[in-house]
Amino acid sequence: MKRVMYYFWIFYITSILGFVLETIWCFIRNKKIESRKGLIYEPMIPIYGMSGTLIVLIVNIFQLSSDYEIFFIGMIISTVVEFLSSFLQEKIFATKSWDYKTFPFNLNGRVNLMYSLIFGFVAVLAYNVILIPIANIFLMFDVNIYTLGLTLILCLFMFYDFFISSVAVFRMKERRQNIKRKNKFWRYIDKNYNDLRLKKVYPNMVAVKK
């Protein structure tokens, strides 16, 4: 149980750190603050969480310690996760949130070499400065009703956020296709997660023309 909780917290924390990193990067590039969230409610970008969790898992399984190894693993995993996320977003929701076609050494506009190298450096920095201290702190605590309860509450709300965010974006695609829904659930989605609200949450998300 403690190991499952550990990887959940790695996912949760790296998802939030990804949101912070993207927000800072956006401000540096565009001189403005805008939403970079991957979910409607929580300040998280799950692809960072997925990358961070897989990196820590592989480092632990193979007992890697060299910064060069972490850099390589971080670069490869982050690139694969970003590519698959872009591909699935386009296929399921008919949208995209980034396009690297103007960058050199890009692959279908989904990933590019420069960001892959940056992700490698970020993986080394995050692992040594953030994730190792988190692991050390986590080992100090026992699994009890309080730590388990907090983890369960955050986990349940995160899954709800995943669900409602996915449903809302999928319904936005259906509205573009003039697909009508009449039951109460979909009317609730249309009312509370309309295109205007989703545009504020995902300002960089654009429809993909088929």
Side-chain angles (χ1 to χ4, degrees), residues 2-208:
K2 191 170 186 178
R3 183 174 294 272
V4 174
M5 290 174 59
Y6 169 69
Y7 283 110
F8 166 78
W9 280 102
I10 291 295
F11 178 88
Y12 198 86
I13 291 171
T14 50
S15 294
I16 293 175
L17 290 175
F19 165 78
V20 173
L21 179 65
E22 287 276 342
T23 301
I24 294 172
W25 180 246
C26 174
F27 181 77
I28 292 172
R29 290 189 61 191
N30 304 325
K31 301 298 186 295
K32 64 178 181 179
I33 299 291
E34 66 179 23
S35 174
R36 309 297 290 184
K37 293 192 297 183
L39 302 176
I40 289 176
Y41 291 106
E42 296 168 289
M44 302 172 65
I45 302 181
I47 63 173
Y48 279 86
M50 181 61 68
S51 297
T53 304
L54 289 174
I55 291 168
V56 172
L57 183 63
I58 290 176
V59 167
N60 289 342
I61 290 175
F62 295 99
Q63 298 183 336
L64 305 179
S65 58
S66 166
D67 286 346
Y68 296 105
E69 294 172 323
I70 296 172
F71 171 84
F72 180 76
I73 292 298
M75 181 180 67
I76 296 300
I77 288 178
S78 299
T79 302
V80 171
V81 169
E82 186 175 36
F83 184 92
L84 290 177
S85 298
S86 174
F87 176 80
L88 291 174
Q89 180 182 348
E90 184 173 332
K91 294 302 179 183
I92 297 173
F93 304 111
T95 62
K96 60 181 179 180
S97 297
W98 61 88
D99 189 342
Y100 301 139
K101 288 181 180 177
T102 60
F103 287 69
F105 306 107
N106 75 84
L107 182 59
N108 295 333
R110 304 185 191 282
V111 295
N112 72 86
L113 180 60
M114 183 184 77
Y115 281 162
S116 294
L117 293 173
I118 291 175
F119 286 142
F121 285 111
V122 169
V124 174
L125 181 64
Y127 187 81
N128 287 289
V129 177
I130 299 172
L131 297 181
I132 288 180
I134 288 175
N136 292 334
I137 293 172
F138 193 85
L139 292 174
M140 296 170 55
F141 293 93
D142 293 326
V143 176
N144 55 47
I145 189 172
Y146 302 108
T147 56
L148 183 60
L150 176 61
T151 302
L152 183 60
I153 290 171
L154 290 176
C155 185
L156 289 174
F157 185 74
M158 186 184 69
F159 276 114
Y160 169 76
D161 206 354
F162 265 100
F163 171 76
I164 205 69
S165 300
S166 300
V167 168
V169 176
F170 183 79
R171 180 61 188 140
M172 183 172 66
K173 180 188 76 170
E174 291 191 332
R175 288 195 294 267
R176 290 197 306 269
Q177 299 170 343
N178 293 317
I179 296 176
K180 306 298 182 182
R181 298 278 193 175
K182 296 183 178 181
N183 65 48
K184 291 183 179 179
F185 173 76
W186 291 110
R187 289 204 304 270
Y188 171 83
I189 296 296
D190 286 337
K191 178 181 178 181
N192 293 279
Y193 303 97
N194 54 47
D195 292 0
L196 181 60
R197 180 176 182 180
L198 293 181
K199 186 62 179 177
K200 291 179 180 179
V201 176
Y202 308 118
N204 295 305
M205 187 172 66
V206 297
V208 177

